[in-house]
Each structure stands twice: as structure tokens, then as C-alpha cells.
């Protein structure tokens, strides 16, 4: 039986016994396979391989690619009409007992080497012991009783660094820290115990990362500018998040150091950005236990308290102060130098241009008061007496009986309530009154100037427009 023709398709006169007549091929790689493949007499569709490019003077065609050749070879091996000469299908796959198989002695030697060098199930006792010691070292860092073949601690932490990582000799890296592929750790950087850099991370400048922090792929912490960045313990920096880089403020000068401080147990999600301060006397601070979701921007000189939830796409401009346990919905924007009191809630999409008092809810473009944040107060364990005192102050400031005195403002009413002493024994009510007074009386105080007013209520706006009757309509505010 003749080999398969790899040239131009033959004419009907060349077909003999159901096979192709013998022809030659000018492709060396195809000709080398002629002894392997042949066409049986069982019939079936013949294998057609693209013809040779036509010679000069004729229409040129694209020569067959290697992908086409591989596909034809795979079809030839699977086709029932193809038979091999001297080999079986098992031999072509590396199995069977054909003439081309490796000798039994060589096969046993190869299998023995694999069992000895591959840890895990089926490994030799010596390999199992070595593998167990390696796992114990990586988990506990040279536990008692484990055989340690390393000569010094430098070899110990180098075993935890990927070969493609770049760590400056002046960097201070703990022995138990792990550095993934393509990471860069600059001079002066400090990595605490059990820190993990997953890969493609950059830690630059005078940056200290506390114990147990995790940097996911692409996260950047610190910059080569003057200043310092400090992260507490157990912080998690998400994918491609940026923490502690240069601020976006024209007041910044390269010769002035700037600072950022972050507490512990914070979760900064993907593509979030937290910038340094804009002045040496200021510092961007983030408290403990905050959840900063994706694409949140925390600008220079921002003070973020503890256990806040900042939803996706929120923008906190420069010098913004946020208290504790504040909930900020997605897509909110807070203007420069605004203050947001503790236990407040900003509904999604709120545009805040004035201070937000504590314990309240605001909503809308140019955010307006929408009542007390009663749900959060209950979850935080406020007593019924505390909730009632906060409600009384809220009604006295923004829903006064008979509309209050003519031309009176929430600041005037808050001053009167503080002087009366009716809420001296109620700390939460005092916090609300003092916040309103300070927001309205704060003037220019260096870099800490405040907006100077608090958000207005719907009742005040409608009373100014004359759309409500004199009195206090209880249905205007959802309390």
C-alpha cells in the first residue's frame, strides 16, 4: 500500500485499490511522516492535505499552516480508515508494548525517581519526611523538632519571596512575610509579621505595613515623595487600590513631607484611592474597622473615623471629617471641609455641601434632612431614653412649634437650648446641640475652616417658600 499523497490531488487514473498513487512532496516536514501514515483498504473519505503552492506563472496560494497540519494529523490518528505501519495506536500515544517503547529497566528507574522526588501520596518515606518538615517550616517558621538546614534567617525569608520579586537590601522584611511574583519593595519599607503581597504590588518610600496585612494583586502603598505612610495590623488592600500616594492639591510642594496613617482591620476594596496630606502640619487619617468599597476616593487631609461603611463610587473631598459608625451610600459626594457627624446616614447619590449633624439621615442633590437614623441607633444599643432625647432636640431645632421665633435659625435655637440646661444630663442630645453650634460659629482657623452651616430640613425650605401653614406638620419628616 502506497503512502498518502501530500502533493496535488491525483487524477482518477492514479487511484489504485482504493488508495492514492505514490507521489512526492516538496515539504520536508510532511515527507517525514510518510512512513507513519497510510490509507487502509476499508474505504472511507481520504485525507485531503492542502496542495503545494503553485509555481511561478500561476495563481499563488497560501501554503498550509502548522495548525492545519496538526488538525489533519489528529484526524488521521482518530480515523478508522487509517492504519499504521509497524506501530499501534497505543504506541503513538506513548503506551502499549510496541517496538519504539522505552525499555522496562529505564521505565522502572524513571518511576522510582518520580516517587522519590514527588512529595505527597505514594512518595518514599524520606520524601514524605522532608515534605512534612517544609510544610511545618512554612506554617510556623522552624518549629521545635523540625530539622532546619538553613544557615541564617536571610535564607529563611528568601524562601518566602518569589524569584521575580525585587526587594531592596535596605528594606526591613519580617521572616514570616510572603512576597509574590513581580513585587517591588523599595528602600526604607517595613513589612511586618505574616504580611502577604500576592503579586504585582509596589511598596515605596518610608512606608510601614503592620502585622497580618494583605496586599492583593496590583495594590500600591506609599510613594517616593517625602513623608511617611503607616498602616496598622490586619488591613486588606484590594486589587489595584492606591494608598498613601501624592495628593491632588495645588498647595502640595515636593520639599514638604506629607503623611497618612491608617488603623487596623480596615478593608479597602478594588480601585480605591487614599491620598496623603497636603501640608506637613496635617495628616490623612483612617480609623479602625472601616469598609471602603470599590472606586472610593479619600482625598488629602480627610479624617475618617471608626467602623464606617463607605459604598462604591463615593467621593470625599479634601479636609472632610467623618465621625464613627457612619453609613454612606453609593455615589455620594461630600464637598471640601464638610463634617459628617457620627451615626449619620447619607442616602445613595446624596450631594453634600453642608455639615451633616450626628444621628440624622440626609438625602438628595444638595442633601436635606430626612429625620433620625433610628435603625442604626437601635442596632448600636441606644436606649429608649437616648432616642427620645435625640428626637426632642431634632424637633426643637428643625420642627419648632408654631414655626419658632421670626428669623430664628437652628443655630439660635441650639444656643438657647444649651443655655437652658434642659439636656445637661443627656450626652447624646448635648452632642447634637454642640455640633450645630460649632458648625455655625466656626470661622477660618488655619487649614481647618468649616463650611459654616448645617443641612436644612424640608420643613424649613417649604416654610420659606410659603407652601406650608404656620405650625409643625409632623408628616413632613419621616422619623
Amino acid at each position: 500500500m502506497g503512502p498518502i499523497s501530500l502533493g496535488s490531488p491525483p487524477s482518477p487514473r492514479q487511484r489504485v485499490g482504493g488508495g492514492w498513487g505514490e507521489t512526492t512532496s516538496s515539504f520536508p516536514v510532511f515527507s517525514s511522516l510518510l512512513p507513519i501514515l497510510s490509507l487502509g483498504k476499508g474505504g472511507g473519505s481520504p485525507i485531503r492535505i492542502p496542495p503545494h503552492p503553485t509555481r511561478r506563472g500561476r495563481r499563488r496560494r497560501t501554503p498550509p499552516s502548522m495548525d492545519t497540519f496538526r488538525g489533519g494529523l489528529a484526524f488521521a490518528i482518530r480515523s478508522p480508515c487509517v492504519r499504521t505501519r509497524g506501530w499501534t495506536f497505543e504506541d503513538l500515544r506513548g503506551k502499549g508494548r510496541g517496538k519504539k517503547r522505552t525499555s522496562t529497566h529505564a521505565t522502572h528507574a524513571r518511576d522510582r525517581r518520580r516517587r522519590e522526588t514527588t512529595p505527597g501520596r505514594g512518595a518514599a518515606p524520606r520524601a514524605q519526611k522532608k515534605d512534612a518538615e517544609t510544610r511545618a517550616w512554612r506554617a510556623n517558621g522552624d518549629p521545635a523538632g523540625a530539622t532546619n538546614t538553613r544557615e541564617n534567617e536571610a535564607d529563611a525569608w528568601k524562601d518566602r519571596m518569589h524569584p521575580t520579586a525585587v526587594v531592596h537590601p535596605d528594606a526591613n522584611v519580617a521572616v514570616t512575610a510572603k512576597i509574590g511574583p513581580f513585587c517591588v519593595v523599595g528602600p526604607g519599607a517595613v513589612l511586618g509579621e505574616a504580611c502577604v503581597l500576592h503579586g504585582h504590588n509596589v511598596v515605596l518610600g518610608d512606608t510601614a505595613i503592620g502585622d497580618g496585612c494583605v496586599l492583593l494583586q496590583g495594590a500600591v502603598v506609599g510613594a517616593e515623595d517625602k513623608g511617611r505612610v503607616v498602616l496598622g495590623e490586619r488591613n486588606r488592600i484590594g486589587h489595584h487600590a492606591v494608598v498613601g500616594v501624592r495628593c491632588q492639591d495645588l498647595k502640595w510642594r515636593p520639599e514638604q513631607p506629607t503623611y497618612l496613617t491608617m488603623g487596623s482591620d480596615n478593608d479597602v476594596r478594588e480601585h480605591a484611592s487614599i491620598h496623603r496630606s497636603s501640608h506637613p502640619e496635617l495628616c490623612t487619617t483612617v480609623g479602625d474597622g472601616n469598609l471602603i468599597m470599590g472606586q472610593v476616593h479619600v482625598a488629602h487631609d480627610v479624617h475618617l473615623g471608626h467602623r464606617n461603611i463607605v459604598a462604591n463610587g463615593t467621593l470625599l473631598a479634601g479636609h472632610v471629617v467623618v465621625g464613627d459608625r457612619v453609613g454612606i451610600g453609593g455615589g455620594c459626594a461630600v464637598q471640601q471641609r464638610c463634617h459628617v457627624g457620627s451615626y449619620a446616614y447619607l442616602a445613595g447619590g446624596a450631594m453634600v455641601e453642608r455639615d451633616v449633624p450626628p444621628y440624622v439621615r440626609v438625602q438628595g442633590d444638595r442633601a436635606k434632612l430626612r429625620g433620625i437614623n433610628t435603625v442604626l441607633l437601635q442596632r448600636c444599643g441606644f436606649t429608649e431614653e437616648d432616642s427620645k432625647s435625640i428626637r426632642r432636640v431634632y424637633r426643637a431645632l428643625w420642627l419648632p412649634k408654631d414655626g419658632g421665633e421670626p428669623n430664628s435659625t437652628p443655630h439660635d435655637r441650639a444656643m438657647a437650648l444649651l443655655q437652658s440646661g434642659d439636656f445637661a444630663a443627656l450626652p447624646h442630645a448635648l452632642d447634637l446641640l454642640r455640633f450645630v453650634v460649632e458648625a455655625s460659629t466656626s470661622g477660618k482657623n488655619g487649614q481647618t475652616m468649616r463650611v459654616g452651616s448645617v443641612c436644612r430640613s424640608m420643613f424649613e425650605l417649604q416654610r420659606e417658600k410659603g407652601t406650608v401653614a404656620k405650625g409643625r406638620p409632623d408628616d413632613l419628616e419621616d422619623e
Side-chain angles (χ1 to χ4, degrees):
M1 183 61 61
I4 297 176
S5 171
L6 299 181
S8 302
S11 63
R13 294 182 181 180
Q14 291 179 303
R15 297 202 58 169
V16 180
W20 296 113
E22 294 188 5
T23 59
T24 59
S25 172
S26 60
F27 287 98
V29 65
F30 289 171
S31 301
S32 63
L33 294 174
L34 292 179
I36 300 178
L37 301 177
S38 63
L39 189 64
K41 296 181 180 181
S45 301
I47 303 173
R48 295 184 180 273
I49 297 179
H52 185 278
T54 55
R55 294 177 175 81
R56 183 177 182 182
R58 300 181 183 180
R59 182 181 178 183
R60 294 184 177 274
R61 300 179 182 177
T62 304
S65 62
M66 291 305 297
D67 294 338
T68 305
F69 170 70
R70 295 191 189 100
L73 179 60
F75 173 80
I77 295 176
R78 295 194 302 267
S79 177
C81 68
V82 174
R83 297 295 180 267
T84 58
R85 185 178 300 172
W87 290 279
T88 63
F89 289 112
E90 288 75 10
D91 295 327
L92 293 177
R93 299 189 182 98
K95 302 179 181 179
R97 297 186 179 182
K99 294 183 294 182
K100 299 300 181 181
R101 180 171 177 169
T102 310
S103 64
T104 304
H105 176 75
T107 303
H108 290 176
R110 179 191 60 194
D111 296 341
R112 183 170 59 255
R113 289 194 301 269
R114 289 179 178 177
R115 287 195 300 270
E116 291 177 355
T117 58
T118 304
R121 185 176 181 182
R126 182 177 180 182
Q128 290 180 352
K129 181 179 179 181
K130 184 177 180 181
D131 184 53
E133 293 175 356
T134 302
R135 290 197 302 267
W137 172 269
R138 291 178 178 177
N140 304 317
D142 196 11
T147 304
N148 182 13
T149 60
R150 299 172 177 83
E151 298 180 357
N152 49 45
E153 292 185 355
D155 294 334
W157 74 262
K158 284 181 180 178
D159 290 344
R160 294 175 173 268
M161 183 179 67
H162 195 272
T164 60
V166 179
V167 179
H168 197 274
D170 295 337
N172 186 359
V173 181
V175 177
T176 56
K178 296 182 180 180
I179 303 177
F182 302 103
C183 293
V184 177
V185 181
V190 178
L191 299 183
E193 299 290 338
C195 286
V196 179
L197 277 62
H198 279 256
H200 297 271
N201 304 117
V202 179
V203 181
L204 298 176
D206 188 2
T207 301
I209 300 179
D211 300 342
C213 291
V214 177
L215 273 64
L216 299 181
Q217 284 81 358
V220 177
V221 179
E224 295 181 346
D225 303 317
K226 292 184 178 181
R228 182 171 175 80
V229 177
V230 179
L231 272 64
E233 300 178 353
R234 299 176 301 278
N235 292 302
R236 186 179 181 89
I237 311 301
H239 300 83
H240 303 282
V242 179
V243 178
V245 297
R246 181 190 306 175
C247 66
Q248 299 175 156
D249 192 350
L250 297 178
K251 297 190 301 292
W252 178 85
R253 294 292 180 269
E255 64 275 7
Q256 296 180 346
T258 54
Y259 305 95
L260 181 143
T261 302
M262 179 181 291
S264 302
D265 302 306
N266 294 288
D267 189 2
V268 181
R269 300 304 297 267
E270 54 275 3
H271 297 281
S273 59
I274 305 177
H275 291 179
R276 294 190 190 185
S277 61
S278 61
H279 196 271
E281 299 178 358
L282 303 176
C283 179
T284 302
T285 59
V286 179
D288 302 330
N290 295 286
L291 173 57
I292 302 175
M293 299 187 188
Q295 299 179 348
V296 171
H297 174 62
V298 180
H300 57 89
D301 310 306
V302 169
H303 295 267
L304 190 63
H306 306 290
R307 303 189 66 181
N308 298 296
I309 298 177
V310 186
N312 300 70
T314 296
L315 306 176
L316 301 180
H319 305 277
V320 168
V321 178
V322 181
D324 303 332
R325 301 296 296 266
V326 176
I328 303 178
C332 292
V334 184
Q335 182 179 295
Q336 295 89 343
R337 305 185 185 278
C338 286
H339 287 214
V340 181
S342 300
Y343 303 96
Y345 176 73
L346 279 62
M351 301 290 108
V352 180
E353 63 175 356
R354 300 187 180 190
D355 291 352
V356 179
Y359 316 114
V360 302
R361 294 180 292 117
V362 297
Q363 182 187 19
D365 189 351
R366 305 305 182 267
K368 304 173 183 60
L369 297 175
R370 293 291 184 175
I372 303 297
N373 192 9
T374 55
V375 175
L376 181 60
L377 297 182
Q378 294 174 359
R379 293 177 180 176
C380 295
F382 279 66
T383 63
E384 187 66 24
E385 182 180 1
D386 295 334
S387 299
K388 287 183 178 180
S389 63
I390 295 172
R391 189 182 301 274
R392 287 175 53 193
V393 173
Y394 181 88
R395 286 178 175 270
L397 296 180
W398 291 285
L399 296 173
K401 294 182 179 180
D402 299 328
E405 298 180 1
N407 300 325
S408 63
T409 62
H411 170 263
D412 299 333
R413 293 189 283 269
M415 288 291 295
L417 292 175
L418 284 175
Q419 294 175 0
S420 65
D422 296 340
F423 300 94
L426 301 173
H428 300 293
L430 286 177
D431 292 340
L432 180 55
L433 292 173
R434 289 170 181 168
F435 184 92
V436 175
V437 172
E438 293 175 359
S440 302
T441 57
S442 296
K444 197 168 185 179
N445 183 15
Q447 299 289 336
T448 60
M449 183 182 66
R450 296 178 63 171
V451 176
S453 59
V454 296
C455 293
R456 311 181 70 179
S457 65
M458 292 294 297
F459 171 70
E460 288 183 300
L461 296 176
Q462 294 186 13
R463 187 183 61 178
E464 290 180 359
K465 295 179 181 179
T467 57
V468 295
K470 188 176 181 179
R472 187 184 63 186
D474 294 337
D475 58 344
L476 283 179
E477 310 289 341
D478 182 12
E479 302 181 36

